[in-house]
Amino acid sequence: MLSRSAMLARKVLPRSLARTFSTEAATAEATSVTLNLSVPYESIYNGAAVDSVIIPGTEGEYGITVNHVPYVAQMKPGVLQVLFEGADPEKYFVAGGFAVTHANSVTDVVCVEAVKLDDIDPSAVTSNYEAAKSAYGAATAGSVEQAEAMIDMEVNKAMGLAIGLTLA
């Protein structure tokens, strides 16, 4: 069925038209990265022109600059950095999520939670980590409670690392 559709498309669309589309796309060069950063309850950036974005991907941290190749990545808990030309980067702790970079230098970042590093209370992170560690130890092996406690520990440990704490 798919091969029939492909053959029909070849007959219907002239070759010169396909080349016109790709040539037009190649000439539209962006001058900045357009960032859309959203959490479920608000849009932190909506169409913001930024110099670059550094994303904590599960496969490693990576940077997005103008005309980056299209890319889809799952994010791990860590620090997302938004860099503006001539200014200090804005740093957010993200608890995970997804980042999609489109061919037109637009990057969409969707995460469950994003908090500016300056707004994180180190004592709250430490106490939340210790509470999660206790819950993990008290939970039955292999239970949902133990899995939830492990996630809480990992997120609080990553948040602690983001603000310079060492939690063990």
Side-chain angles (χ1 to χ4, degrees), residues 127-153:
S127 65
N128 289 341
Y129 178 78
E130 292 302 326
K133 194 173 173 183
S134 295
Y136 180 83
T140 305
S143 67
V144 171
E145 291 80 17
Q146 189 181 43
E148 289 174 345
M150 178 184 264
I151 292 168
D152 286 347
M153 285 172 49

Side-chain angles (χ1 to χ4, degrees), residues 1-141:
M1 182 69 179
L2 183 60
S3 61
R4 270 187 165 167
S5 299
M7 287 186 343
L8 180 61
R10 284 188 190 125
K11 289 179 185 176
V12 173
L13 288 175
R15 196 78 171 138
S16 61
L17 184 59
R19 288 186 183 173
T20 303
F21 288 139
S22 62
T23 304
E24 287 174 11
T27 59
E29 297 265 336
T31 58
S32 65
V33 175
T34 301
L35 177 63
N36 300 310
L37 172 59
S38 300
V39 291
Y41 52 88
E42 76 175 312
S43 181
I44 298 170
Y45 289 108
N46 188 9
V50 301
D51 199 40
S52 63
V53 183
I54 300 173
I55 297 173
T58 56
E59 299 299 318
E61 197 173 74
Y62 67 98
I64 299 295
T65 56
V66 177
N67 298 318
H68 195 282
V69 297
Y71 195 70
V72 176
Q74 182 176 357
M75 296 187 309
K76 66 180 180 182
V79 178
L80 180 134
Q81 298 181 55
V82 181
L83 290 86
F84 296 93
E85 190 173 335
D88 289 338
E90 287 191 17
K91 296 180 181 182
Y92 292 87
F93 176 79
V94 294
F98 290 91
V100 179
T101 299
H102 306 276
N104 60 353
S105 289
V106 172
T107 295
D108 298 316
V109 177
V110 180
C111 46
V112 175
E113 190 62 63
V115 180
K116 277 193 169 184
L117 289 189
D118 297 340
D119 295 340
I120 297 175
D121 179 8
S123 61
V125 173
T126 303
S127 65
N128 289 341
Y129 178 78
E130 292 302 326
K133 194 173 173 183
S134 295
Y136 180 83
T140 305

